[in-house]
Amino acid sequence: MKTLIFGAGNLILSDEGFGVHCINYLEQHYDFPEDVELFDGGTLGIMVTHKIEEADRVYIVDTLETAGAPGEVFRFEKEDIMLNRLPVKLSPHQIGIQEMLFISEMRGGCPPRISLLGVIPETLDAGNELSATVGERLPQVARLLVDELKEMGYAVREKGEAALQ
């Protein structure tokens, strides 16, 4: 089984880059087995639909436009996304995640298990760093992903953990 962690976002619009920053954080802090792929999807949208179609299990990390406090984290499953039951607008950038999944579904390649982890941005101003509020969520979202992968049987380790054993 192949699992994909797909980080979406625009790194030059501060908090909009949360998904990509999350991929970078995971790469810096954890070692993953070969059957877990971390992918910086940036703002490529439908240009990288094939990455989702290659996986059996997908986690998408992105920003959300919805009511709530900046930094608040939401989780939605495939059914919520595909049945348009989201009380939010996904991806304030380009063609959104929903459109990408609809295309995969129409082509018969959409994986059965997709989860979206999204954070409300504090700012979308030009800048390549996350706001302090949203940046504080990186370890929380990363830990959630790592814990789920471990529950699924993946051997994910913190960097340096092997040296300590």
Side-chain angles (χ1 to χ4, degrees):
M1 181 169 122
K2 180 178 176 189
T3 295
L4 172 69
I5 301 175
F6 185 99
N10 188 334
L11 283 175
I12 62 170
L13 295 177
S14 51
D15 291 346
E16 163 61 14
F18 182 79
V20 177
H21 283 286
C22 189
I23 294 299
N24 293 337
Y25 183 92
L26 289 165
E27 288 173 340
Q28 291 169 5
H29 293 89
Y30 297 95
D31 289 316
F32 294 88
E34 287 184 21
D35 44 359
V36 173
E37 181 179 2
L38 304 178
F39 185 75
D40 169 358
T43 59
L44 296 174
I46 61 172
M47 300 299 290
V48 291
T49 302
H50 67 283
K51 295 305 283 181
I52 287 179
E53 294 173 356
E54 293 170 357
D56 301 299
R57 174 72 168 105
V58 176
Y59 291 93
I60 299 169
V61 183
D62 201 358
T63 55
L64 305 169
E65 289 183 18
T66 190
E72 193 171 346
V73 178
F74 290 84
R75 181 184 182 126
F76 298 100
E77 301 303 326
K78 179 182 178 182
E79 297 75 31
D80 300 315
I81 300 166
M82 301 305 284
L83 295 175
N84 212 16
R85 293 190 299 220
L86 300 180
V88 299
K89 178 181 181 282
L90 298 177
S91 305
H93 53 265
Q94 93 290 341
I95 291 179
I97 299 297
Q98 281 177 309
E99 291 85 356
M100 188 169 61
L101 295 180
F102 288 139
I103 290 169
S104 287
E105 189 75 16
M106 286 189 301
R107 294 186 344 181
C110 197
R113 298 218 42 225
I114 298 173
S115 298
L116 168 74
L117 300 170
V119 65
I120 298 176
E122 183 171 56
T123 179
L124 299 177
D125 292 341
N128 61 0
E129 293 183 17
L130 296 173
S131 66
T133 302
V134 171
E136 290 173 0
R137 296 295 180 232
L138 280 175
Q140 173 190 350
V141 171
R143 175 51 62 190
L144 189 150
L145 289 164
V146 166
D147 288 348
E148 283 196 29
L149 290 171
K150 286 181 176 182
E151 286 176 19
M152 293 167 31
Y154 288 111
V156 180
R157 292 197 283 212
E158 289 190 42
K159 297 263 186 191
E161 185 177 317
L164 299 174
Q165 296 178 347

